[in-house]
Amino acid sequence: MSPAALERAASLASGDRWIPAFFNLPTAIDNSRKNQTYNTPGVGTLFLMEQQLNWMNGQGGLEAMVKRTTTSSEALYGWAERTSYTTPYVADPALRSLVIGTIDFDESISADAVAATLRANGIVDTEPYRKLGRNQLRIAMYPAIDPADVEALTGCIDFVVERV
């Protein structure tokens, strides 16, 4: 960096504006001079990321991943629209996420009880966004989740609701 750039970085850091440590240029400059990083990712994290990217690329890359999440989301939202006690939280299909589906439940059915029963039987992380305070489940449909598993989950939810 030029002397002017180094001076500007110091000037910005000494101002009244709050700057998170990971955006602090003098810290980055200091670490760079020592051939260090401020926040080094764990080697395990980098390894797992490489494995996931290799798997995604081996499946056909981004296009294939979008196809998987689209298939999963169609299964989830289609089920929610067909089922008498559920509706997709996001009403407009064009605005719905392909990777996280949030499904509202009729007030006669406790989504919390459904989530608890699912969890007790090994189906985890279906709880809703807490800040919304709604009677709903939140379903992940990431590329690594087999679309058939999303379909099976809807069957599990129906099974639980019929018995709760």
Side-chain angles (χ1 to χ4, degrees):
M1 296 178 74
S2 71
L6 295 172
E7 184 179 315
R8 176 77 172 132
S11 171
L12 289 171
S14 66
D16 292 339
R17 183 176 176 192
W18 179 79
I19 300 173
F22 59 89
F23 282 143
N24 185 295
L25 290 174
T27 299
I29 292 164
D30 181 55
N31 283 315
S32 176
R33 287 178 175 149
K34 298 174 187 173
N35 290 322
Q36 298 175 346
T37 58
Y38 177 73
N39 188 7
T40 304
V43 173
T45 301
L46 295 173
F47 172 78
L48 292 173
M49 180 182 72
E50 179 200 23
Q51 296 299 305
Q52 189 71 46
L53 291 172
N54 287 340
W55 176 82
M56 288 177 170
N57 286 330
Q59 298 295 311
L62 182 59
E63 184 177 323
M65 297 303 99
V66 171
K67 183 177 178 184
R68 279 177 72 92
T69 59
T70 299
T71 300
S72 292
S73 66
E74 287 170 350
L76 181 70
Y77 296 128
W79 165 80
E81 290 169 339
R82 288 188 310 274
T83 303
S84 63
Y85 59 86
T86 58
T87 56
Y89 171 62
V90 177
D92 183 349
L95 300 176
R96 294 178 186 158
S97 172
L98 297 180
V99 293
I100 297 291
T102 308
I103 306 301
D104 283 337
F105 279 67
D106 183 83
E107 292 304 317
S108 66
I109 298 166
S110 169
D112 288 341
V114 172
T117 303
L118 292 171
R119 182 173 284 279
N121 287 280
I123 301 172
V124 300
D125 298 333
T126 61
E127 289 79 9
Y129 291 105
R130 288 180 288 281
K131 289 185 179 183
L132 288 179
R134 296 175 67 98
N135 187 38
Q136 61 185 200
L137 295 182
R138 177 180 54 164
I139 309 301
M141 303 173 291
Y142 303 123
I145 297 172
D146 191 321
D149 289 344
V150 175
E151 288 187 43
L153 174 60
T154 62
C156 291
I157 294 169
D158 286 337
F159 183 87
V160 169
V161 168
E162 290 170 10
R163 286 155 182 81
V164 171

